Amino acid sequence: MVRIRCAIYTRKSSDEGLEQEFNSLDAQREACGAYIASQRHEDWELVRERYDDGGISGSHLDRPALQRMMRDLDEGRVDQIVVYKIDRLTRPLADFAWLVDRLDAAKASFVSVTQSFNTATSMGRLTLNVLLSFAQFEREVTAERIRDKIAASKKKGLWMGDYVPLGYDAAGRTLTINAAEAETVRTLFTLYETHRALHLVEKEAKQLGLRSKRYVTQSGRDQGGQEMSRGHIHKILATPLYIGKIGHKGVIHQGQHPALIGKEQWDRVQGLMQAQSGIPRGQKISGRPSAALTGKLFDAEGKRLTPVHTQKRGRRYDYYISQQLKTAPVPSDRTSGWRLPARDLEVRVGEAVRRHLRVAAMRSLLWSADAKMIADVATKLVDEDLDMLTMLDRVVLETGALAITLARASVAEGLGVARDCVNEEDLHGNAPFTIRRRGVETRLLLQGQSLPRDETLIANIARAQAFLGEVTGGRGFQEIAEAYGLSVKRVQQVLEFAFLSPTTVRQLIEGRQPSFLTTDWCLKNEIPVAWSAQDLLFHRA
């Protein structure tokens, strides 16, 4: 009989109690070791290498011991993974499906000691998938309850955590004024009223030694206390928190914390910021919101793409389209002309510019700068508020790549360096992309990026798993329909989503699904029962 080398994997989400002589990880390992010993007649053999992840959540796979164990599995040093419970290995269904694929590729299996699961058998796989589907649904319902609770609490003006803003200290579910930091905030508002330009406020703030909030992370590291960028200053000036308000998803509520800035000064600053903006925030010019790539986006023939918009069911959709599509319908073969969602394209181009500048900064963009300046530039490029599109001169949609040209003066201003420090040769770059189509709409998928997740389809899959549990528990369609306030037909339709393969579910969660795979498509088309057939169908795009 061939020996089976068993690796024990242990995990604990928090680091509480790990300093004890005999902790949770030891208890898990002891139970798994005893189970392996009971299977000696099957030639199970314990691998002495320890794979322990203490204080790490199971919601992701970025765990050192787990990654080390998977490498040993791929290299043939492990035949079977043994865990105390399934959730010690992973929680999300998509991650579990990925792990099962890795196990299959290595001709290995997975065993849960306390739940009697063994992925070496088809029944074990089926039971695991059903169980994890329920766990995934339960987590999503819990997340919905938490989001609803946060929304209700903010409506009452309560502070719900996250990073404490400059000028305040946390005090339970509200904020108290930090006198020293409050002066910094008030100074920024005064400076903006004086200079009416963010770059001048940034310059004087540096001269005055104004710094961002300093805090200590849970791991004990000092963070913050840095010079503030224009993006950071703009965020402070535009935050209604400083007049005693709490914002949530675009709605402003009266907060329970004291204001730092008077309402009159706040209104003056907001008016000045809108006056200085090319298009006032939240407003439109000629009925059209700002299109950041206007005049900068071209096709391979050098023809400019134009911003347009449509209205559907009260919702506005913005696009950049080729000139010929303004007067002619989209060709049935969809091979000529571009029709690109505006906001999605702007985000992706901005990410491409940021990525290019990071590489260029470390290579030769700041060829005359010292190490400190390069470090400062690298720090600024991490700032999500830094507007990358203002640094663009031109973007060309070439075959399979975006050809990006940056404006030297704009790059220098955006990064806060002298124009002479910017190397002209590094203002040009290429960002490879693939095309994903949905109807007449085209999306560009840059390397390393994924499509937005189809939250509607994912939610329907979670609901389908709940329906499947009801059915297997003995409830009829009529009972389920009444319990969920749906029609029997709708319950039967949604139930079909429960039989999508783990590979397909993982694609959806990662945003790698084919563009045609939507809720509407699934309801109108027959989905193959066999997972292998599904994978062939959904991998064709």
Side-chain angles (χ1 to χ4, degrees):
M1 189 175 290
V2 179
R3 63 174 182 156
I4 300 175
R5 294 162 296 177
C6 302
I8 297 175
Y9 178 74
T10 64
R11 183 187 63 79
K12 187 175 186 296
S13 295
S14 68
D15 54 10
E16 182 180 356
L18 293 181
E19 74 283 354
Q20 298 174 2
E21 185 174 346
F22 186 81
N23 55 44
S24 174
L25 301 181
D26 296 321
Q28 293 177 45
R29 184 171 181 81
E30 186 176 272
C32 294
Y35 186 83
I36 293 172
S38 70
Q39 301 297 315
R40 285 177 182 168
H41 62 284
E42 296 288 344
D43 275 356
W44 286 24
E45 179 182 289
L46 175 62
V47 173
R48 295 191 177 278
E49 182 75 19
R50 292 185 68 116
Y51 304 97
D52 304 325
D53 279 320
I56 302 179
S57 170
S59 62
H60 58 83
L61 297 176
D62 188 17
R63 292 172 258 154
L66 176 64
Q67 295 299 330
R68 182 161 46 86
M69 181 177 66
M70 298 309 294
R71 286 195 297 270
D72 290 346
L73 185 89
D74 293 338
E75 293 170 4
R77 291 195 287 270
V78 173
D79 303 311
Q80 187 159 258
I81 298 173
V82 181
V83 295
Y84 183 69
K85 285 186 178 181
I86 298 173
D87 64 357
R88 298 303 89 192
L89 187 63
T90 186
R91 288 181 175 172
L93 177 60
D95 287 349
F96 173 72
W98 179 82
L99 287 170
V100 169
D101 287 345
R102 290 281 296 273
L103 289 167
D104 286 344
K107 297 182 179 179
S109 59
F110 154 63
V111 173
S112 172
V113 171
T114 58
Q115 295 158 317
S116 301
F117 290 127
N118 188 338
T119 57
T121 67
S122 58
M123 182 57 70
R125 290 180 185 232
L126 174 62
T127 309
L128 271 171
N129 275 312
V130 172
L131 181 63
L132 285 169
S133 296
F134 278 119
Q136 182 78 1
F137 176 71
E138 182 181 357
R139 282 190 296 276
E140 290 176 357
V141 170
T142 301
E144 289 177 2
R145 287 202 300 266
I146 292 172
R147 285 195 293 267
D148 291 343
K149 180 180 179 181
I150 290 174
S153 298
K154 287 195 171 184
K155 191 174 182 179
K156 294 179 181 179
L158 297 176
W159 169 252
M160 295 304 294
D162 204 356
Y163 289 110
V164 180
L166 182 69
Y168 288 103
D169 291 325
R173 289 302 179 195
T174 188
L175 298 168
T176 58
I177 294 177
N178 181 312
E181 294 178 359
E183 285 306 311
T184 297
V185 175
R186 295 187 181 109
T187 300
L188 291 175
F189 274 82
T190 301
L191 287 175
Y192 190 81
E193 283 194 279
T194 302
H195 297 296
R196 305 188 179 194
L198 284 172
H199 71 281
L200 295 177
V201 175
E202 178 189 27
K203 183 177 180 180
E204 187 160 346
K206 289 180 181 179
Q207 293 174 349
L208 294 173
L210 303 185
R211 300 279 174 163
S212 62
K213 189 177 187 68
R214 191 168 187 170
Y215 59 93
V216 179
T217 65
Q218 290 182 346
S219 61
R221 290 187 304 168
D222 263 349
Q223 294 284 354
Q226 305 293 322
E227 293 179 343
M228 288 180 281
S229 65
R230 278 183 295 167
H232 192 173
I233 294 170
H234 181 276
K235 188 173 182 179
I236 290 173
L237 297 177
T239 301
L241 196 83
Y242 293 113
I243 53 170
K245 307 285 187 179
I246 291 283
H248 182 66
K249 295 187 180 298
V251 179
I252 305 299
H253 306 288
Q254 181 60 49
Q256 296 187 11
H257 62 279
L260 274 182
I261 302 298
K263 184 67 166 58
E264 297 79 7
Q265 185 180 23
W266 163 267
D267 289 338
R268 289 196 303 271
V269 168
Q270 303 315 301
L272 289 171
M273 290 174 68
Q274 288 187 354
Q276 293 298 319
S277 173
I279 290 182
R281 290 179 293 125
Q283 299 182 19
K284 301 176 182 179
I285 288 182
S286 302
R288 188 182 74 222
S290 173
L293 295 178
T294 301
K296 300 180 179 180
L297 185 62
F298 300 83
D299 62 19
E301 297 176 357
K303 296 179 180 178
R304 183 176 294 157
L305 272 70
T306 304
V308 298
H309 76 275
T310 61
Q311 294 281 146
K312 185 177 181 182
R313 297 174 185 172
R315 185 175 177 182
R316 181 190 177 97
Y317 297 86
D318 294 281
Y319 299 92
Y320 291 100
I321 67 170
S322 297
Q323 292 285 347
Q324 66 265 32
L325 298 186
K326 291 183 67 176
T327 56
V330 178
S332 58
D333 60 4
R334 299 181 296 172
T335 56
S336 60
W338 292 98
R339 183 184 177 87
L340 303 168
R343 302 293 86 81
D344 177 78
L345 178 65
E346 288 164 4
V347 169
R348 294 178 187 277
V349 170
E351 292 174 359
V353 173
R354 188 185 301 272
R355 188 183 306 173
H356 172 72
L357 286 176
R358 283 175 179 168
V359 174
M362 300 309 296
R363 184 178 65 242
S364 59
L365 179 63
L366 303 177
W367 61 274
S368 64
D370 57 19
K372 183 181 183 304
M373 185 177 291
I374 293 178
D376 290 343
V377 168
T379 301
K380 285 189 177 183
L381 289 172
V382 176
D383 184 359
E384 295 298 330
D385 291 326
L386 184 60
D387 191 351
M388 310 308 299
L389 299 183
T390 60
M391 303 184 195
L392 278 170
D393 180 60
R394 185 183 181 93
V395 183
V396 180
L397 293 162
E398 297 183 343
T399 304
L402 294 174
I404 297 171
T405 302
L406 304 178
R408 188 175 188 180
S410 299
V411 171
E413 181 182 359
L415 299 183
V417 299
R419 191 175 186 277
D420 293 341
C421 292
V422 181
N423 188 352
E424 189 74 36
E425 295 178 359
D426 281 322
L427 295 176
H428 305 276
N430 283 282
F433 66 79
T434 55
I435 293 176
R436 292 291 181 91
R437 297 189 186 273
R438 185 185 296 270
V440 298
E441 181 181 293
T442 305
R443 290 182 183 270
L444 304 185
L445 188 61
L446 301 182
Q447 282 187 353
Q449 295 179 328
S450 59
L451 286 171
R453 300 200 318 173
D454 190 333
E455 299 295 348
T456 301
L457 182 51
I458 293 172
N460 280 328
I461 293 172
R463 173 168 280 193
Q465 295 292 348
F467 292 169
L468 180 62
E470 301 275 13
V471 171
T472 56
R475 298 187 73 180
F477 290 131
Q478 186 64 46
E479 290 181 89
I480 299 172
E482 291 175 357
Y484 286 86
L486 301 171
S487 67
V488 172
K489 180 179 179 181
R490 186 60 178 176
V491 170
Q492 293 172 339
Q493 287 178 326
V494 172
L495 189 61
E496 294 294 324
F497 293 110
F499 304 107
L500 289 173
S501 72
T503 301
T504 302
V505 174
R506 185 171 67 249
Q507 281 184 298
L508 284 163
I509 291 175
E510 295 176 354
R512 297 187 293 104
Q513 74 276 11
S515 58
F516 68 83
L517 182 55
T518 63
T519 293
D520 187 60
W521 185 92
C522 290
L523 293 176
K524 292 180 180 178
N525 294 271
E526 184 176 350
I527 301 174
V529 176
W531 286 354
S532 57
Q534 287 184 33
D535 294 343
L536 285 174
L537 173 64
F538 299 144
H539 287 172
R540 75 186 186 189

